[in-house]
Amino acid sequence: MYPTMNDHPSYSYDSHMGPVPASGVPDPSPAQPYPVHHHAYISNSLPRAPPAPVSGQWTSGLCHCFDDPVNCVITCVCPCITFGQITEIVNRGSKSCVSRGLLFGLLALTGCACFYSCFYRSKLRGQYDLQEEPCTDCLVHFCCWSCALCQEYRELKNRGFDMGIGWEANMDRQKRGVTVAPIVIPGMAR
């Protein structure tokens, strides 16, 4: 029988790194497995800051609904709320959140809400010079209106709007010079 690394008195065995000499420095021999870096999965689980808006590009993808899970749930349960919030900002306060949300709800009962909401997607794209992707606005809203509403909501949010307070309050904040609080990543304090 051949001796193993565990039988050698100057080596200890680490379950994650394999055999480690008593000096604490791993043996660079090719028979030794590479060490496992447990910190690799932690960096992927931290919340991401919203990307900075780039002219002509959306700040998030159509299917990234879970980037904002609260809005995703609200949009799935009651899309008229999200639609109303979007339209108040896109209309620059000329139409209220409540009136547009109620109209969207009534049109949803007839099955025509996607045609109404695609108009606002086009208007949003025009305001921020965004590309019409992955296909035309009407097709996006006809095939997956909930994802489209979530994307539009995130786009306005990533461009600095607090979607819960409406147009007037956002303009008051901007006049006073109040900015959104920075995103604090837990565990990064010293």
Side-chain angles (χ1 to χ4, degrees):
M1 178 153 207
Y2 294 94
T4 65
M5 292 299 245
N6 290 336
D7 296 336
H8 196 280
S10 64
Y11 278 86
S12 64
Y13 191 83
D14 184 355
S15 64
H16 297 292
M17 293 184 62
V20 178
S23 67
V25 178
D27 185 11
S29 67
Q32 179 179 350
Y34 291 103
V36 176
H37 297 285
H38 295 284
H39 67 278
Y41 74 92
I42 294 172
S43 64
N44 293 334
S45 64
L46 295 175
R48 294 183 302 177
V54 176
S55 180
Q57 294 180 357
W58 293 88
T59 57
S60 65
L62 181 64
C63 297
H64 295 164
C65 298
F66 291 109
D67 285 355
D68 188 344
V70 173
N71 175 253
C72 181
V73 170
I74 289 171
T75 303
C76 288
V77 173
C78 192
C80 53
I81 293 172
T82 301
F83 181 76
Q85 291 172 325
I86 293 167
T87 57
E88 183 171 353
I89 302 297
V90 170
N91 286 325
R92 300 174 191 253
S94 66
K95 308 249 187 323
S96 76
C97 170
V98 174
S99 68
R100 299 300 105 182
L102 287 174
L103 183 56
F104 181 83
L106 291 173
L107 288 172
L109 295 174
T110 66
C112 297
C114 62
F115 298 112
Y116 182 54
S117 60
C118 79
F119 167 74
Y120 280 98
R121 183 176 181 87
S122 297
K123 194 170 179 178
L124 173 71
R125 281 189 324 92
Q127 287 178 354
Y128 294 107
D129 193 32
L130 300 170
Q131 296 175 3
E132 189 173 30
E133 57 183 33
C135 54
T136 65
D137 296 333
C138 284
L139 274 176
V140 169
H141 272 270
F142 184 74
C143 294
C144 48
W145 55 267
S146 58
C147 292
L149 289 176
C150 287
Q151 182 187 29
E152 294 157 16
Y153 180 94
R154 287 190 314 275
E155 186 66 31
L156 291 170
K157 189 175 176 183
N158 291 343
R159 290 183 181 269
F161 290 101
D162 183 344
M163 299 300 288
I165 63 174
W167 176 259
E168 292 298 324
N170 274 294
M171 292 302 103
D172 287 344
R173 274 189 178 180
Q174 190 177 28
K175 286 176 188 172
R176 290 191 323 246
V178 176
T179 59
V180 178
I183 297 173
V184 178
I185 300 173
M188 297 298 286
R190 200 164 146 97

